[in-house]
Amino acid sequence: MNKKKYFIIIAVVIIYTIISLGTEKISLEDLGIITGIGYDMKKVSPTEKKYIFPFSVYDFETSGKRSSHISVGEGRNVGETIETRQKQMNKTILQGLERTFVIGEVFAENGLKPILDERARNYQTSDMAFGAICKGKSEEILGMNIEGYGSSSEFIAGLIERQQGYNFFSQNYKVIDMLVRIDAEGRNLVMPYIDVQEGKIEIVGLAIFKKDKMIATTDLYTAKILNLLREDNVKGVLSYQKKPKEYTDIYVTSKRKVKCEKKQDKYTFTIDLKLTGNIASNTLYKDILTNLKDKEEYEKLMSKKVQDNCNEFLNKMKNEYKTDCLELGREAAAKYGRRKGIDWNEIVCNSEIKVNVKVIVNEQGRGDFIK
Amino acid sequence: MNDRKGLITANELTCLLIGILIDINITMTPNSVVAISKQDGWISMALGAVYPLYVALIAIYVSRKFPNDNILVLSKRYFGSFIGNVLNFLFFISFFSYFPPAYFNATLILRTYIIPFMSPFKVYLVITLIGAYTAYKGLKVLARIGIISFFLLIVIMLVSLAILFYGSILNVMPIFGVGAKDIIYGSKNTIYDYALFEWIFLLYPFINDKNKIKDSAFKAIAFCCFVYTWVVFIAIYYLGIDMIKKTIWGFFSATESIRVDVITSFRYVFVFIWVLIALKSISYSYYICIDILRNINKNLNKKLNSIFVFIIMGSIVIFITKVYYPNRLVKDEIVNFTTKASTIYNLFFITLIAVIIIIKKDDKCEKI
């Protein structure tokens, strides 16, 4: 018994010494905790590009106040930026706690592969950080002071995460989602597009990607329809407005089903959208609370309107974006086989896409005041 | 060897067999399987279970004929001391060939995900201390560790259920899309994971109820087959076959999607559980290697009981791992060869013993 005890004690001591020998211990004050990363690109000459990666780093002051500053890494490649950012730092960088990453417009247009490769290799970073594309330079947005927040990256992370529930946004804008979507067969990436308007950071639309390159940005209205067609089980508000004062809004949850058929070499896609929800406000129908006919008429009109909007977007997608932003190619690949060297972007844009929308009014809340 | 004290129960046998099959290497398997059988990789993975099933069937047959003698004793009995010992030593080598890769895999994953600041040598030392001491404590302790890691596995399975919310079934479709030929061909990559089930030939003399060997073996295979298939399936389900190719540990990358409140990086918790499972596999390897050596020469039996033998074995393994397995690419090349060689030899060896038992059924049995 005694022997065993001694052996265990000796083993623990040996293991502890082995582990702690030669490792450096750093106190918390000497750590630079990264909260947000930006990615920018500058063209030095027509052939040469320069990476500019600003990092938002927390400062812990003795008074307990939290603030942050920006430290910038520059270089012709990712490795160089790591070295140059340390030039201005008096602390050791700690990754893995970052909340957000903001990618500048120019960088996104030139392809995300360089940073995603670095991200996929890096064992320290967290794959759950939220991402966004910003208009102009990311350095400006990350450096903004927002009252009540230690750094603007905290605010941006919350901003992107909390879009869920409105405008049919999903939460699939994390690093892991980007990694999974880019290069997967029949899939394409969309990311939230943010901008500073009147001194405030806000979502202004979506950035559409083809492979790893950004090809277009949309306004919020188009983004809403795109989200509706693209995502399953998302929420948002739809309205039917006859006159400025006569409208009915409905807060719906979507259900999306895609069917794909192949006849000879022609593909046909059918998107079935079932939108169920509660009426949020109503000034159009006097008797919608009691009259079944009014309710049915509203459902019909609303369905028609959403369907028109969707078709309008599909036209835009086929002619303007020329990308399969709805991930329809994925459905076809899952049904008719993968890895045949088919360019789904081209196939989807040249094939017929039907949209069937069905709006269902479920409940109408507590009461009705318009009568 | 046949003292009643060291006997194990049927459930413990099941856990030991599960323990020897399931190693940390399974987190890498989605990548090797998907390379050939694409989105049907999980079917290949399930098909791979044929190999341990064959081993189990032969083990059940042999254990019925000679319930108290393990395969090493039988080979010495049928081929004489010299040839028998040569065959047994080759059997030892084939087990030993899985030893350095196990060290290497556990260390690489630990150093990649948790402790990049520690040199591999230090990690090897710690693994050796823990693994050798556990193996020294004997079969009963190993069995208990097997039970613990069985429950750890169940925890991993339950946690990975959460991935079902995030992925899409579209990634796995079309099922059977790559054709039967590729699915069967792809299952050759699963051999490494299903290997070492041959341990059952050394274990069956220790079980207290000989009728339950069949049950235990089949239960163990069914469980492992399910776990493996699930791991590959969920990796394809979440990542898709295009992304799996870009990762090294497909299953770890798939679990990145799991979000747990309070814990900032769930990765650490998850890798930690897997490392415990890897440590279990390493201590099993220690036990098996020393056990075979003990059986080869009865005279050495007493000397081989001391802890120093384990330390010497550990030093040899550390040396081999450090010198011949310097990085992952070299390791993969060596493992490709050793896995094939040891699997072919093991199958040859157990089939040979079984065939000879059938042929010499009448005369030899009665004499001894």
Side-chain angles (χ1 to χ4, degrees):
Chain A
M1 189 60 211
N2 257 340
K3 243 184 178 176
K4 201 171 160 191
K5 223 192 262 171
Y6 286 127
F7 185 86
I8 291 172
I9 292 169
I10 292 169
V12 167
V13 170
I14 290 174
I15 290 175
Y16 181 76
T17 6
I18 290 173
I19 291 176
S20 58
L21 263 182
T23 53
E24 199 191 348
K25 292 185 182 67
I26 303 167
S27 62
L28 182 67
E29 287 78 22
D30 288 334
L31 285 177
I33 297 171
I34 293 184
T35 59
I37 310 174
Y39 297 100
D40 281 325
M41 185 185 264
K42 202 167 88 180
K43 277 188 182 169
V44 183
S45 68
T47 51
E48 215 173 307
K49 284 158 194 160
K50 199 172 173 190
Y51 293 144
I52 301 170
F53 295 171
F55 291 76
S56 172
V57 184
Y58 269 140
D59 298 316
F60 293 103
E61 287 166 27
T62 39
S63 61
K65 215 179 147 193
R66 217 165 24 141
S67 63
S68 67
H69 75 272
I70 298 280
S71 154
V72 185
E74 285 181 35
R76 284 166 302 151
N77 47 46
V78 177
E80 240 171 57
T81 63
I82 296 173
E83 301 242 289
T84 47
R85 90 175 165 215
Q86 197 62 32
K87 277 200 303 197
Q88 316 153 354
M89 290 284 295
N90 60 344
K91 290 170 184 172
T92 309
I93 289 285
L94 179 73
Q95 294 175 332
L97 292 170
E98 60 265 21
R99 300 286 311 277
T100 180
F101 58 98
V102 182
I103 301 165
E105 216 171 8
V106 185
F107 195 102
E109 277 163 4
N110 279 289
L112 300 177
K113 282 248 171 101
I115 53 167
L116 285 179
D117 182 71
E118 192 264 341
R119 284 243 146 193
R121 275 176 207 287
N122 198 333
Y123 51 86
Q124 289 180 327
T125 56
S126 143
D127 279 354
M128 302 307 272
F130 281 95
I133 313 293
C134 74
K135 198 171 186 179
K137 279 186 189 169
S138 63
E139 195 177 342
E140 286 160 18
I141 284 194
L142 281 179
M144 270 182 70
N145 267 330
I146 295 170
E147 224 170 287
Y149 287 88
S151 83
S152 70
S153 41
E154 269 176 54
F155 174 80
I156 297 168
L159 180 76
I160 297 160
E161 194 178 352
R162 289 295 140 230
Q163 288 310 307
Q164 193 199 28
Y166 303 92
N167 283 321
F168 304 107
F169 271 106
S170 69
Q171 280 192 344
N172 303 330
Y173 310 113
K174 300 180 280 286
V175 182
I176 183 99
D177 297 309
M178 294 170 77
L179 292 171
V180 168
R181 276 167 184 74
I182 290 178
D183 273 1
E185 188 168 356
R187 300 192 79 173
N188 273 313
L189 182 71
V190 295
M191 295 287 282
Y193 188 55
I194 58 175
D195 189 16
V196 183
Q197 287 190 345
E198 290 166 15
K200 279 178 187 167
I201 303 174
E202 58 180 57
I203 300 246
V204 288
L206 276 178
I208 298 171
F209 283 76
K210 191 175 193 171
K211 291 262 160 72
D212 66 326
K213 285 180 179 139
M214 184 174 93
I215 50 156
T217 55
T218 67
D219 56 2
L220 201 52
Y221 171 75
T222 320
K224 185 174 166 179
I225 304 295
L226 199 163
N227 282 333
L228 180 63
L229 281 166
R230 181 187 158 98
E231 317 279 353
D232 182 28
N233 195 15
V234 283
K235 290 170 186 163
V237 180
L238 296 169
S239 12
Y240 181 77
Q241 193 154 16
K242 240 183 189 171
K243 287 172 197 164
K245 273 190 173 178
E246 289 182 4
Y247 56 84
T248 304
D249 303 330
I250 180 167
Y251 185 65
V252 293
T253 310
S254 81
K255 203 161 199 191
R256 169 190 189 254
K257 261 183 196 163
V258 178
K259 276 181 222 147
C260 168
E261 266 170 42
K262 188 184 176 187
K263 269 180 194 163
Q264 279 134 26
D265 270 356
K266 272 264 176 212
Y267 288 89
T268 324
F269 297 94
T270 319
I271 305 174
D272 285 319
L273 288 174
K274 198 175 153 193
L275 310 169
T276 7
N278 303 344
I279 288 181
S281 81
N282 167 41
T283 54
L284 181 60
Y285 296 100
K286 287 260 151 67
D287 284 335
I288 197 163
L289 198 64
T290 47
N291 196 339
L292 192 62
K293 251 185 204 168
D294 276 2
K295 191 187 128 198
E296 274 165 3
E297 190 196 309
Y298 171 68
E299 284 174 352
K300 218 184 250 175
L301 285 169
M302 196 69 237
S303 305
K304 179 84 178 35
K305 197 198 155 207
V306 176
Q307 198 161 337
D308 289 347
N309 289 342
C310 288
N311 284 329
E312 198 183 316
F313 173 80
L314 286 174
N315 271 332
K316 204 172 177 184
M317 179 183 107
K318 283 179 185 174
N319 301 322
E320 199 182 315
Y321 305 141
K322 289 183 180 153
T323 325
D324 168 25
C325 2
L326 307 179
E327 298 194 336
L328 295 174
R330 189 186 182 203
E331 311 267 348
K335 199 170 175 186
Y336 297 107
R338 291 163 193 281
R339 326 213 122 254
K340 291 179 181 162
I342 301 171
D343 183 3
W344 290 111
N345 283 331
E346 204 185 310
I347 295 268
V348 169
C349 290
N350 290 327
S351 53
E352 195 185 343
I353 305 170
K354 285 180 203 158
V355 186
N356 298 322
V357 184
K358 202 174 173 196
V359 176
I360 298 164
V361 177
N362 227 352
E363 291 302 330
Q364 301 192 21
R366 289 187 299 164
D368 194 347
F369 200 70
I370 203 69
K371 244 189 236 179
Chain B
M1 204 170 77
N2 288 339
D3 51 336
R4 312 277 317 155
K5 226 177 141 191
L7 290 186
I8 50 172
T9 64
N11 279 341
E12 283 172 336
L13 178 66
T14 315
C15 286
L16 282 169
L17 291 173
I18 292 171
I20 194 65
L21 281 188
I22 293 186
D23 185 19
I24 200 163
N25 191 68
I26 177 63
T27 53
M28 248 186 232
T29 309
N31 305 55
S32 57
V33 180
V34 162
I36 297 172
S37 25
K38 308 282 182 279
Q39 73 272 19
D40 289 334
W42 57 282
I43 303 173
S44 296
M45 199 74 221
L47 278 180
V50 171
Y51 167 35
L53 216 55
Y54 173 75
V55 176
L57 286 175
I58 289 186
I60 290 159
Y61 175 75
V62 175
S63 71
R64 271 200 195 134
K65 296 285 169 195
F66 301 98
N68 291 320
D69 297 319
N70 65 28
I71 195 162
L72 306 169
V73 177
L74 290 176
S75 88
K76 268 195 273 186
R77 186 178 297 166
Y78 285 121
F79 298 106
S81 188
F82 179 71
I83 301 177
N85 267 344
V86 170
L87 289 174
N88 289 352
F89 189 72
L90 287 174
F91 196 54
F92 163 77
I93 295 284
S94 83
F95 270 97
F96 189 80
S97 72
Y98 287 92
F99 210 160
Y103 256 69
F104 183 84
N105 280 339
T107 310
L108 183 64
I109 289 170
L110 260 173
R111 291 194 64 237
T112 308
Y113 282 100
I114 307 182
I115 40 169
F117 50 83
M118 263 174 80
S119 72
F121 186 67
K122 279 184 191 171
V123 185
Y124 291 154
L125 274 182
V126 174
I127 290 177
T128 307
L129 274 174
I130 298 170
Y133 184 66
T134 320
Y136 171 70
K137 296 306 281 180
L139 196 58
K140 201 76 183 169
V141 171
L142 292 185
R144 279 178 204 144
I145 288 172
I147 293 171
I148 294 171
S149 57
F150 172 76
F151 285 112
L152 286 178
L153 270 173
I154 289 185
V155 169
I156 289 173
M157 293 299 112
L158 288 179
V159 167
S160 62
L161 269 180
I163 305 174
L164 282 177
F165 293 111
Y166 304 107
S168 162
I169 195 75
L170 290 173
N171 287 338
V172 192
M173 304 243 280
I175 297 169
F176 296 114
V178 293
K181 197 184 143 203
D182 271 1
I183 292 178
I184 292 166
Y185 184 58
S187 64
K188 85 175 166 55
N189 281 348
T190 66
I191 289 175
Y192 184 95
D193 293 300
Y194 282 117
L196 296 190
F197 199 73
E198 291 85 357
W199 192 25
I200 191 171
F201 283 97
L202 304 174
L203 280 177
Y204 65 71
F206 293 108
I207 188 167
N208 57 8
D209 188 354
K210 301 280 192 266
N211 299 323
K212 290 202 171 144
I213 294 172
K214 194 171 140 193
D215 275 13
S216 302
F218 286 154
K219 264 189 225 162
I221 293 171
F223 180 77
C224 293
C225 182
F226 171 73
V227 170
Y228 284 174
T229 313
W230 172 255
V231 164
V232 175
F233 176 82
I234 205 74
I236 301 172
Y237 179 85
Y238 183 69
L239 296 173
I241 52 174
D242 299 297
M243 178 58 197
I244 284 189
K245 281 193 298 185
K246 299 182 182 187
T247 63
I248 297 174
W249 295 277
F251 187 54
F252 282 149
S253 299
T255 47
E256 295 279 312
S257 62
I258 301 172
R259 264 193 137 182
V260 183
D261 290 336
V262 187
I263 303 171
T264 352
S265 197
F266 184 64
R267 188 191 285 165
Y268 294 116
V269 183
F270 201 71
V271 174
F272 180 71
I273 297 177
W274 272 111
V275 167
L276 290 180
I277 288 169
L279 280 175
K280 169 223 64 188
S281 302
I282 285 163
S283 62
Y284 279 21
S285 292
Y286 268 109
Y287 180 82
I288 296 170
C289 289
I290 302 281
D291 197 33
I292 297 177
L293 285 181
R294 269 181 201 155
N295 271 287
I296 287 177
N297 195 337
K298 276 272 156 68
N299 298 332
L300 281 174
N301 203 342
K302 273 195 181 153
K303 285 180 200 162
L304 283 172
N305 259 338
S306 106
I307 182 92
F308 293 107
V309 182
F310 287 93
I311 303 288
I312 292 166
M313 174 71 88
S315 330
I316 296 170
V317 177
I318 291 180
F319 175 77
I320 292 175
T321 319
K322 234 182 127 43
V323 175
Y324 296 102
Y325 295 79
N327 58 50
R328 195 172 48 82
L329 300 174
V330 177
K331 184 216 83 178
D332 280 352
E333 226 157 72
I334 300 176
V335 163
N336 269 342
F337 171 73
T338 56
T339 312
K340 265 181 221 156
S342 75
T343 307
I344 290 170
Y345 176 74
N346 283 348
L347 287 178
F348 162 76
F349 186 51
I350 59 169
T351 315
L352 188 71
I353 297 287
V355 167
I356 280 184
I357 289 173
I358 295 170
I359 294 171
K360 296 201 171 177
K361 201 191 282 174
D362 313 313
D363 44 46
K364 211 92 201 215
C365 229
E366 311 304 325
K367 272 184 200 168
I368 297 153

